[in-house]
Amino acid sequence: MHRRILDILSAHGDPHIGDRQWLAISNPALNSLMHVSRAALDAAEARAKENLIHERRDLLMALLLMALSIGLATVALAIVFSRVILPLGAITRAMTSGKEEDIEAVLALRARSDEIGLLARALKAQRQGAAECLRLDAARKAAEAASRVKSEFLANMSHELRTPLNAVIGFSELMVHKTVGPLSEQYEEYAGLINEAGTHLLSLMSDILDLAKIEAGRFAPDFSEVDLKKPARQCLTLVRRRAEERSITVSSRLPDGEVMVEADARAMKQILLNLLSNAVKFSRDGGAITLSLRAGHDCVEIKVRDEGIGIPADLLARIGQPFEQASNNPMLAREGTGLGLALVTALVAEHRGRLAVTSKENVGTEFTVVLPRRQEPRASRAA
């Protein structure tokens, strides 16, 4: 019917259907549609009620979970606050304040097995380390003070001893030279021994005095332009007579030109004389000693080489310390006190140079001194 009516209307015809006939035809379809609509609304309403129940249940579950989370977070915060934050605050206060009661409160936490206990134990160890550092610092200061007192005492005593020694040496020289009259052969020998022993003791006192001055900070080098060839030749002359007594050959390798260096002339002579004297003392009869100088652009090099008994490897590290000797041979040890190399080491350090030694037993020893050609300005030290 719908198709027929549409075809008539499309042809601009009259379908000849009245209102009543249309309603009679349409009502069953409308009633069916309304029935379907009501059924759909009832189903939607039932579904909505079911969804509402589910949502209320989910909301309640979410609220319960939220409350549980808040409770757990509160408990966790309380635990963290009491177990971590408060102890960390106490440790921080103890580290910053330094009060004994704060530190004791923190040390009580070291029994814990967690990180706080580890931190407390570390703080205890740090405290013990700090106390040990303070103790060592106090001990170091006391040792330095004692060293200064010792050095000043040695300096004063050495100075006081030099006066009577000069008298002994002077009078013994008068006796040796028979200035006041002849002496018997035996007394002449005794006078020579007194003069030799007095000279040796005076040299020892001079070394002690110089070392004591350096250790006490009272050594003031008199820097000037020095040609090292001059003290080198003087020292070679001084040791050559003693070397010839034992058939030791003393030679030198000196440059043609001047070997200028800014240094203390007396200290340079002491360095050269001590190194050459040691070389003679520890050389074998018939051996050889060589002194060489080399001038570089910004430094000079002094080398003293001998063909003596050498130095054992286990003693090389101790060479240069006061009263340290390389040989235990009593015939050699009695000729010195071990101060020579200590004085050389100290004087080289005063010139901001360096001392090196190479040695091999039964082959020989070579000492090398390297000095800067110019001395940098330095602050004056208190006397």
Side-chain angles (χ1 to χ4, degrees), residues 83-339:
R83 296 284 297 175
V84 178
I85 296 177
L86 286 180
L88 285 177
I91 292 174
T92 302
R93 286 194 302 274
M95 295 177 67
T96 54
S97 67
K99 294 181 180 178
E100 192 66 27
E101 57 271 16
D102 293 339
I103 295 176
E104 291 299 329
V106 170
L107 293 181
L109 300 172
R110 66 182 185 274
R112 291 174 51 167
S113 60
D114 56 2
E115 286 75 7
I116 297 299
L118 181 63
L119 187 58
R121 289 190 291 273
L123 178 61
K124 181 182 179 181
Q126 184 266 341
R127 186 188 181 201
Q128 292 175 343
E132 183 68 14
C133 287
L134 290 175
R135 187 186 68 80
L136 291 176
D137 186 61
R140 179 183 60 79
K141 291 181 179 178
E144 290 176 351
S147 178
R148 286 194 298 270
V149 171
K150 179 263 297 181
S151 299
E152 291 176 1
F153 171 77
L154 287 176
N156 292 331
M157 286 302 298
S158 299
H159 181 73
E160 293 297 327
L161 288 172
R162 290 177 71 177
T163 301
L165 277 175
N166 284 325
V168 171
I169 293 171
F171 284 117
S172 63
E173 285 181 350
L174 291 176
M175 296 171 66
V176 169
H177 293 95
K178 303 175 184 180
T179 304
V180 294
L183 293 175
S184 65
E185 183 178 348
Q186 186 174 11
Y187 281 117
E188 185 178 351
E189 180 183 358
Y190 291 163
L193 292 174
I194 291 172
N195 183 264
E196 183 179 348
T199 303
H200 177 70
L201 189 56
L202 181 61
S203 176
L204 174 61
M205 289 297 105
S206 298
D207 288 347
I208 293 176
L209 179 61
D210 288 334
L211 270 178
K213 282 183 177 180
I214 293 173
E215 290 182 356
R218 295 167 56 184
F219 183 81
D222 183 16
F223 291 121
S224 61
E225 290 291 331
V226 178
D227 181 7
L228 284 182
K229 292 175 66 174
K230 181 178 180 181
R233 291 193 179 100
Q234 293 174 345
C235 294
L236 287 170
T237 301
L238 290 174
V239 301
R240 187 169 277 117
R241 182 184 64 82
R242 186 179 177 189
E244 289 173 351
E245 293 174 355
R246 296 171 53 199
S247 301
I248 298 174
T249 303
V250 179
S251 60
S252 61
R253 297 174 183 173
L254 307 180
D256 295 333
E258 295 179 335
V259 184
M260 302 303 298
V261 62
E262 186 178 356
D264 186 299
R266 178 173 170 270
M268 291 298 100
K269 188 174 181 179
Q270 284 179 292
I271 291 172
L272 289 163
L273 188 57
N274 273 295
L275 291 178
L276 289 169
S277 297
N278 271 352
V280 172
K281 181 170 67 174
F282 292 104
S283 288
R284 297 185 180 88
D285 292 350
I289 296 170
T290 304
L291 168 65
S292 60
L293 300 180
R294 187 180 67 85
H297 177 68
D298 55 357
C299 65
V300 295
E301 185 180 83
I302 304 170
K303 284 190 177 183
V304 176
R305 181 176 181 80
D306 64 65
E307 298 175 357
I309 61 175
I311 302 173
D314 57 336
L315 293 181
L316 276 177
R318 306 206 308 262
I319 291 298
Q321 298 180 10
F323 306 105
E324 188 68 49
Q325 291 182 308
S327 174
N328 292 323
N329 187 335
M331 295 303 295
L332 295 174
R334 69 182 179 86
E335 298 182 17
T337 59
L339 286 176

Side-chain angles (χ1 to χ4, degrees), residues 73-84:
T74 303
V75 173
L77 180 61
I79 293 174
V80 170
F81 187 77
S82 62
R83 296 284 297 175
V84 178

